[in-house]
Amino acid sequence: WGRTTKPMIRAQPVRAFSTAPPFLWKVLHQVVPQHIPVTEPFPGVPEIKEVENIKPTKDITTLTNGVRVVSENSSSQVSSAGVFVQSGSAYEAADVRGSSHFLQHLGFHSTHSQSHFKVVRDLEKVGSTSSVQATRDTMIYTTESLRKYLPQTFGILADTFINPALEASDIKDVRAVVKAELSKASQDTQTTLETCIHSAAFSGSGLGADPLCPASLVDM
């Protein structure tokens, strides 16, 4: 007596729209089991064919210009290419200190045949990664991509190494990066200690030279 009865709201079944992926539609309609043991193949996934295990073979070839090419063939679907140059802060004259530091960040930028944007776009289109490292005695340019894209990525690698444009706009951007790295390195005690040890061991020249650009030469 005196009580009010609230109307009951019955939940409506969720319907899959026609735009839903086929597997999601099957799950919603309980056509396939939602809990699949790890010992059973997952529905809808194509069968993976095993690649024939190829024993890696390594070849060393010396070109007529003296460049040594080391190649290794394996069953991996990922290919790596690199250019290793005997260069770095150990070989820099006093008036060009820090040039390796700048070149490290100018790698894979504008070349005489393509813009920085095109270089980055072409690498990203094939899912390739690239990097440049500068140490005291070596500079390393590398790319990594799926095996079938190796000719494309190697072409970009060769172009950025042989034909860098060194545009003023690129140098301006890199100068800001170098300043930020110098600021960060000055606050890193481990980096400072390693620099001092190298300088003391090699009298500040050769391998004793700091791989980072001196602050006094950044804006030159």
Side-chain angles (χ1 to χ4, degrees), residues 136 191-201:
R136 285 179 167 83
T191 301
T192 303
L193 179 61
E194 291 178 355
T195 301
C196 292
I197 292 175
H198 273 83
S199 179

Side-chain angles (χ1 to χ4, degrees), residues 116-126:
H116 182 201
F117 175 80
K118 187 176 185 303
V119 170
V120 174
R121 184 191 62 181
D122 289 348
L123 288 173
E124 289 183 344
K125 281 174 63 177
V126 297

